[in-house]
Amino acid sequence: MGTIKLQNIRTYSFHGCLEEEAKIGSEYRVDLEIKTDLRKSSLSDELKDTVDYVLLNKIVVEEMAIRSNLLEHVAERILSRIFKEVPAISRIVLAVSKLNPPIGGDVEAVTIEMEEYRS
């Protein structure tokens, strides 16, 4: 087993329950960690034998572009799509952070983290 991490994927998205968030948007950070078997690719040196992290990034960016009220909802879409499109993945840990959230305080980020295993 091995781990592939995509750290600090940055997007400008329009998630949130407030009407202003839907209009002006804000910055987000996504961190993704997947578990997969890396033994074959470590020997073959072939992209076809591993999980393509370009595809993982594409999925994250595309799903972050679809508005949701809750970070949990967009995270679930990302998890479901990755499991659907990449059969070699056995586990995903995903963190979605809203940077400088409009919550009436000096808060750097609000983050939700979800962990799912292939069923």
Side-chain angles (χ1 to χ4, degrees):
M1 225 15 115
T3 303
I4 296 174
K5 296 180 183 182
L6 279 74
Q7 298 172 307
N8 201 18
I9 302 168
R10 304 285 285 225
T11 69
Y12 196 88
S13 302
F14 297 86
H15 308 301
C17 295
L18 301 176
E19 188 176 318
E20 302 83 48
E21 293 174 301
K23 292 178 182 174
I24 63 173
S26 56
E27 292 186 47
Y28 290 82
R29 171 189 169 143
V30 178
D31 295 296
L32 176 65
E33 177 181 306
I34 62 107
K35 289 285 187 187
T36 190
D37 189 345
L38 297 176
R39 291 175 290 191
K40 186 174 181 181
S41 61
S42 70
L43 297 173
S44 73
D45 197 29
E46 295 290 335
L47 180 59
K48 67 179 177 56
D49 294 331
T50 193
V51 173
D52 184 353
Y53 50 79
V54 173
L55 173 60
L56 296 175
N57 184 68
K58 178 179 181 268
I59 291 169
V60 168
V61 169
E62 288 177 357
E63 293 301 323
M64 288 297 291
I66 301 168
R67 179 170 155 57
S68 290
N69 288 328
L70 302 177
L71 298 181
E72 295 90 326
H73 187 257
V74 70
E76 179 58 35
R77 286 199 322 267
I78 293 168
L79 292 167
S80 295
R81 187 165 164 202
I82 290 173
F83 276 133
K84 180 181 175 187
E85 293 187 27
V86 189
I89 294 174
S90 61
R91 175 179 158 259
I92 303 170
V93 178
L94 176 70
V96 180
S97 302
K98 180 182 284 193
L99 306 179
N100 302 309
I103 62 174
D106 186 11
V107 178
E108 181 179 326
V110 171
T111 302
I112 63 100
E113 184 173 286
M114 297 174 71
E115 179 176 3
E116 294 288 334
Y117 293 82
R118 183 174 297 282
S119 51

